[in-house]
Amino acid sequence: MFSVIFSTYNSPDWMEKTLWGLHYQTFQDFEIIIADDGSTEETKQRIENFERESQRKVKHVWQPDEGFQKTRILNKALLAAEGDYIVFTDGDCIMRNDFLAVHNHYREAGYFLSGGYFKLPMSTSKAITRDDIAHGRPFELDWLLANGLTKNHKTMKLTAKGWRAKLLNALTPTNASWNGHNVSAWKADIFAVNGFDERMQYGGEDRELGERMFNRGIKSKQIRYSAVCVHLDHARGYVTQEMRDKNHVIRLSTKSEKKVWTPFGIQKA
């Protein structure tokens, strides 16, 4: 079984779209875990509404709002995970209906899988309904263009299929890094490096976990053009340069000292 973990913070409209994207997956052997970094009661009510309408159970892992503490809530979600394989995304992403099937197909011992996203403008993000998700319209170029998207070369992420997607995965200059919005790994490998470093806030906090996994000998596979999700637009008022600077120092230490473990993770020193 998969455990699908995604984070959220006071974005119930976007979170609901993420949930319905999961509901309509072709691969169905998974549990849903929401890592909630301090949202208000409205988020809880929306989750209950989804459970009632979908007849699915959701694990809602919540912590009080103490600023941006995504790494802390993700570690709590990992402790709640029952699957032996973990797929991570974010509560502002909608997955194409074969998203989990792709992660299932490419998973392999000794590897994590690295995907990307296609960013949508705000007008398009707002236009997407549950019915649109059910029928795959957020991944149809004509529908997106009719609903506010401007065409560019990046639309290949949405239209590549089969051999073309495999070729683009092989040719893309983008590193197969740990991208928290579209990444999967064996739970045992994540726990072996002690999960996320809870000192880290916004800015590379996901990638640092992947860098420790690399140091431990885990490799990565690129599935950027195969596991497709769209990213809904939103502001990031919680981001500060101080966060980025602190994270940069931690990541430099992880790389230069080839660290495979953080004492600030799931298990505390």
Side-chain angles (χ1 to χ4, degrees), residues 49-62:
N49 290 343
F50 171 79
E51 287 181 317
R52 186 167 53 252
E53 293 178 29
S54 67
Q55 295 300 298
R56 289 179 179 271
K57 179 63 181 169
V58 175
K59 289 183 179 177
H60 182 201
V61 181
W62 179 91

Side-chain angles (χ1 to χ4, degrees), residues 63-78:
Q63 68 186 11
D65 184 358
E66 296 179 354
F68 187 90
Q69 299 293 340
K70 180 181 176 182
T71 50
R72 186 192 303 169
I73 195 63
L74 286 174
N75 280 341
K76 291 176 181 178
L78 281 166

Side-chain angles (χ1 to χ4, degrees), residues 4-6 14-26 30 32 87-101 103 116-117 128 132-134 136-139 158 181-183 226-232:
V4 180
I5 297 175
F6 71 85
W14 280 192
M15 179 197 69
E16 280 188 337
K17 297 181 187 193
T18 301
L19 284 169
W20 287 116
L22 285 168
H23 178 73
Y24 292 113
Q25 291 294 299
T26 58
F30 67 94
I32 300 172
V87 179
F88 291 91
T89 187
D90 281 331
D92 52 16
C93 292
I94 303 172
M95 294 127 283
R96 197 169 67 189
N97 69 352
D98 63 344
F99 182 90
L100 293 182
H103 278 271
Y117 62 62
I128 297 170
D132 293 328
I133 296 168
R137 296 183 193 113
F139 305 94
L158 298 174
H181 49 267
N182 185 350
V183 69
S226 301
V228 178
C229 67
V230 293
H231 179 273
L232 307 173

